[in-house]
């Protein structure tokens, strides 16, 4: 039990950073290329449309997690 608590993030910034990394990994697994992303999620005017869609996904999921 002690080991479990030592490995868990204890501060809010650490928890948010961990969640962001997990959501980024989930996004990359679900949408490996830009062509797999729905047209509504893409911003073709962004310098990197894939990174923009990933940011949008991560913050949307993070907001849903924190509000529900």
């Amino acid at each position: 039990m002690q080991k479990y608590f030592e490995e868990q993030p204890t501060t809010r910034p650490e928890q948010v950073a961990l969640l962001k990394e997990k959501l980024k990994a989930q996004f990359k697994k679900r949408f490996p290329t830009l062509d797999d992303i729905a047209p509504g999620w893409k911003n073709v005017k962004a310098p990197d449309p894939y990174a923009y869609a990933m940011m949008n996904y991560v913050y949307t999921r993070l907001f849903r997690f924190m509000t529900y």
Side-chain angles (χ1 to χ4, degrees):
M1 195 65 144
Q2 181 71 21
K3 184 179 178 185
Y4 172 79
F5 287 111
E6 288 175 0
E7 292 176 354
Q8 299 306 311
T10 55
T11 63
R12 188 152 181 92
E14 289 175 351
Q15 291 171 339
V16 171
L18 181 66
L19 284 172
K20 283 183 181 179
E21 290 303 316
K22 288 187 175 193
L23 287 170
K24 285 180 184 180
Q26 183 183 26
F27 179 84
K28 289 177 182 179
K29 185 177 178 183
R30 290 181 68 188
F31 308 108
T33 64
L34 186 61
D35 295 334
D36 297 328
I37 300 172
W41 285 22
K42 294 179 191 176
N43 181 359
V44 293
K45 294 181 180 180
D48 185 1
Y50 187 80
Y52 179 84
M54 184 187 309
M55 178 199 67
N56 190 10
Y57 178 84
V58 167
Y59 283 106
T60 301
R61 297 289 174 159
L62 194 60
F63 177 76
R64 286 177 59 197
F65 175 75
M66 291 173 21
T67 56
Y68 291 109

